[in-house]
Amino acid sequence: MKSPLLALALIAPTALWAETDPADWDAVLEVAKGQTVYWNAWGGSTATNDFIAWVGDRVEEDFGVTLEHVKLTDTADAVTRVLSERDAGKDDDGAIDMIWINGANFASMKEAGLLYGPYAESLPNWAYVDTDGKTVRTDFTVPTNGYESPWAMAQVVFMYDTVDMEPVGDMNALLDWTAAHPGRFTYPQPPDFLGTTFLKQALVDLLPDPSVLQDPATDDNYAEVTAPLWEWLDALTPTLWRDGTVYPQTGPAQLQLIADQEVDLAISFSPGEASTAIANGQLPDTVRTFVLGKGTIGNASFVAIPYNSGSKEGAMVVADFLMSPEAQAHAQNPDILGYGTVLDMAKLDDAQRAAFDELDLGIATLSPAELGSVQAEPHPSWMTRIAEDWDARYGVTQ
């Protein structure tokens, strides 16, 4: 049996060298023509699924690349698939060509040498990306080093029904509100990413100095740093929807609870999600959004290409299209996704910028100024341990 380190050493040349040099874009386009790209991406949202279908139509029209959306409920499933293929010696033409990935999953794949690259900063549309004002070169504190390319910006907001409540300024105020209005708030059950994001947001807001979260968690500091979170959750849990004995499984399920008037407040990682949901008739038009006084967590969504993809060129074409002004403006439209853009408006020409300027972001979307400060994502090691501890303390079986 090969040792893990020996196995990684054996695949290293494959991970480092491309079939086609990403910097030779004409060659990439030529090879990509006729390829099929299997994009493994979360499939729990109709709006997201429709956007990916639109991307597939566009890359087929312009580049002759076929895009197949493999709908995931958990990105870790794709990571496990690539790892299994490597262990089985399938170092080429793997089942996955592109993954919507973030955080711990990216860190794990990068560390294990399971990603193709670097490619991201060779893509033509990288020239438009805001590399100074947005976190597009780090992913949960981990440098991307060109092994994944950004396609959307996210920031935590809280959606609330103005008929039932006013915004709260911090997590302690949220606790006071839930104590006064028991059963009117909940959050998706970890390890759902939105549920774990809520836990991270709570910890960041509760700590006087959250910068400690930028370094990996250690056995020496984990218990002390996370103590305020567990104390706060112990007080919050009995005040939750159905006394914290059951949780919605996903973000859309949580959204439905607002629509059904079972709760008054929900967390979102998309500043435009509420406006999109109102436009689609999923939420009442009295819903608005707010952020916390010290700011809320923000990050970029990325795509990455497994080292053993057989359609790396096609995947790069899709990744590049996702960063195009056309795709970015389409994604920011609240009638489509309402996602924040990764682009720097100052780098666009007048016509490209006009496509963004003409967007009506919707009645529930905060302006960039109103979104305020962006809090950095903690190192992935914190979330891994917090999710495990949350399950042990509060986890329930659906």
Side-chain angles (χ1 to χ4, degrees):
M1 175 183 292
K2 291 190 295 244
S3 73
L5 287 178
L6 176 58
L8 287 180
L10 290 174
I11 68 168
T14 308
L16 290 173
W17 298 102
E19 282 76 358
T20 305
D21 182 356
D24 187 351
W25 194 244
D26 287 339
V28 170
L29 292 175
E30 185 61 30
V31 178
K33 202 174 300 178
Q35 288 187 339
T36 296
V37 174
Y38 291 92
W39 181 7
N40 283 235
W42 180 63
S45 160
T46 300
T48 302
N49 298 343
D50 290 347
F51 173 75
I52 292 175
W54 173 82
V55 172
D57 290 341
R58 292 292 296 109
V59 296
E60 177 74 46
E61 291 169 1
D62 285 4
F63 307 106
V65 174
T66 300
L67 182 64
E68 296 287 347
H69 180 191
V70 180
K71 297 174 183 175
L72 300 176
T73 55
D74 188 341
T75 305
D77 294 341
V79 179
T80 300
R81 179 69 179 268
V82 177
L83 186 62
S84 299
E85 289 181 342
R86 186 201 66 181
D87 291 344
K90 190 173 181 57
D91 294 329
D92 190 22
D93 202 21
I96 300 173
D97 299 304
M98 197 166 77
I99 307 174
W100 177 2
I101 197 167
N102 274 98
N105 289 312
F106 169 71
S108 297
M109 292 193 76
K110 184 186 177 194
E111 184 178 0
L114 296 176
L115 294 176
Y116 164 72
Y119 76 90
E121 299 191 19
S122 296
L123 302 180
N125 285 320
W126 177 265
Y128 300 123
V129 173
D130 184 356
T131 55
D132 294 326
K134 297 184 170 71
T135 54
V136 292
R137 280 178 161 149
T138 58
D139 186 349
F140 288 54
T141 76
V142 177
T144 60
N145 298 124
Y147 282 85
E148 59 179 0
S149 49
W151 69 280
M153 293 302 301
Q155 184 176 342
V156 167
V157 298
F158 289 89
M159 302 180 288
Y160 71 107
D161 194 326
T162 55
V163 173
D164 300 304
M165 67 176 295
E166 295 290 328
V168 297
D170 58 34
M171 284 299 181
N172 284 318
L174 173 61
L175 177 59
D176 291 341
W177 183 84
T178 62
H181 303 83
R184 304 303 297 176
F185 173 63
T186 188
Y187 55 93
Q189 180 173 341
D192 174 84
F193 83 94
L194 200 55
T196 56
T197 296
F198 175 74
L199 301 181
K200 286 185 291 185
Q201 181 60 72
L203 180 58
V204 165
D205 199 69
L206 291 167
L207 290 177
D209 180 10
S211 64
V212 65
L213 303 174
Q214 295 302 293
D215 294 320
T218 68
D219 290 340
D220 291 334
N221 69 3
Y222 174 77
E224 179 181 355
V225 170
T226 60
L229 174 65
W230 305 123
E231 181 180 355
W232 183 82
L233 283 171
D234 284 346
L236 177 77
T237 301
T239 73
L240 294 175
W241 177 67
R242 297 190 180 178
D243 304 320
T245 59
V246 65
Y247 293 82
Q249 295 297 290
T250 64
Q254 175 199 227
L255 204 67
Q256 187 61 45
L257 292 180
I258 289 191
D260 294 341
Q261 299 186 340
E262 291 208 42
V263 300
D264 302 319
L265 177 67
I267 187 173
S268 173
F269 214 166
S270 174
E273 182 178 12
S275 291
T276 300
I278 292 170
N280 293 338
Q282 294 176 281
L283 286 179
D285 61 8
T286 51
V287 168
R288 296 292 185 272
T289 56
F290 68 85
V291 292
L292 305 180
K294 292 194 297 186
T296 49
I297 291 174
N299 67 30
S301 289
F302 294 91
V303 292
I305 303 170
Y307 83 99
N308 63 344
S309 163
S311 300
K312 297 183 180 69
E313 296 82 3
M316 285 190 282
V317 167
V318 176
D320 185 61
F321 179 76
L322 287 169
M323 294 192 297
S324 68
E326 177 190 357
Q328 288 288 302
H330 193 66
Q332 191 160 27
N333 187 333
D335 293 339
I336 305 300
L337 281 180
Y339 283 8
T341 181
V342 301
L343 303 186
D344 182 347
M345 293 297 107
K347 295 180 178 178
L348 305 184
D349 63 30
D350 290 345
Q352 292 167 333
R353 194 162 45 250
F356 291 88
D357 292 341
E358 291 169 358
L359 288 175
D360 180 355
L361 297 181
I363 59 175
T365 305
L366 300 176
S367 69
E370 291 170 324
L371 282 172
S373 302
V374 176
Q375 295 275 10
E377 283 277 7
H379 187 276
S381 56
W382 291 99
M383 199 61 260
T384 301
R385 295 182 66 160
I386 287 172
E388 292 172 352
D389 283 357
W390 184 93
D391 189 58
R393 289 168 180 260
Y394 312 107
V396 294
T397 302
Q398 294 293 309

